[in-house]
Amino acid sequence: MVTTADTVFALFFLSHIPVTLLIGTQSLLPASFFPAGLRGGVAWWAQASGDPWLSAIAAGRSLPAWWVGVTFVEVAFQLPWFVWYVVRHFSGSSASSSSASPAARAAVIVYCVECMTSLVPILAELVIGQPQLTDFQRVTVIGAYLPFFVAPAILLARTLATLSASLASPAQKAKKKA
């Protein structure tokens, strides 16, 4: 059964597909691969927000190795997962509900943990490692990255709750009904 929450997550992941393809890949591929307008959009955001990584991309500077690694994982692992989740959702099957298969729920759990783990160094760097950012820039850039920690955290909690309920013993389930 697909719920409203499932639809919200599917739309969130659907919106992340073009972001990953059009912006994330700019960390991995040469600038000449992207049209000037797309590079200009990244440069505009970098200048407006002070985003340290997109600023490096816009200026043609080297990115930290950890950023390139996190972005590679986003493109190689998360992007196919986004597509899988969205296709599964729009074909009428929730990947995180109690009716989802154990394999689907395991995929959701792995994605959520990986994504949240990837965001830890990004958020830590923004909070304590970027002294040149103004308070406004810091809040703006954290606000841009934080949903990619919060949404997986909520999805993880939801999936673990349905998993816990489905693993309850028959006696526990009977006791709950009483």
Side-chain angles (χ1 to χ4, degrees):
M1 181 174 124
V2 174
T3 66
T4 301
D6 294 320
T7 301
V8 169
F9 285 117
L11 293 173
F12 176 79
F13 295 128
L14 180 63
S15 73
H16 204 303
I17 293 169
V19 170
T20 300
L21 288 171
L22 301 175
I23 298 171
T25 54
Q26 290 191 46
S27 296
L28 305 173
L29 299 170
S32 61
F33 188 79
F34 300 95
L38 192 54
R39 292 191 320 266
V42 168
W44 171 85
W45 171 254
Q47 202 260 328
S49 69
D51 184 311
W53 305 289
L54 295 185
S55 294
I57 292 168
R61 294 189 313 265
S62 294
L63 290 157
W66 66 265
W67 175 265
V68 174
V70 165
T71 305
F72 176 80
V73 169
E74 178 184 0
V75 172
F77 172 70
Q78 292 180 15
L79 181 60
W81 190 89
F82 299 148
V83 173
W84 171 82
Y85 190 95
V86 169
V87 167
R88 184 176 175 90
H89 172 78
F90 288 109
S91 68
S93 179
S94 168
S96 59
S97 71
S98 58
S99 63
S101 70
R105 283 189 271 179
V108 170
I109 292 167
V110 168
Y111 160 77
C112 291
V113 171
E114 182 279 324
C115 187
M116 292 167 60
T117 303
S118 293
L119 265 292
V120 169
I122 293 169
L123 295 172
E125 181 71 22
L126 291 169
V127 170
I128 60 176
Q130 294 292 320
Q132 79 282 3
L133 294 177
T134 66
D135 289 342
F136 178 78
Q137 289 174 321
R138 189 175 317 283
V139 169
T140 300
V141 179
I142 288 171
Y145 288 98
L146 195 58
F148 301 103
F149 184 89
V150 173
I154 294 168
L155 183 58
L156 177 62
R158 183 172 184 266
T159 304
L160 291 175
T162 63
L163 181 62
S164 175
S166 70
L167 294 176
S169 70
Q172 289 170 320
K173 289 179 183 177
K175 187 177 176 182
K176 267 190 164 179
K177 287 182 181 178

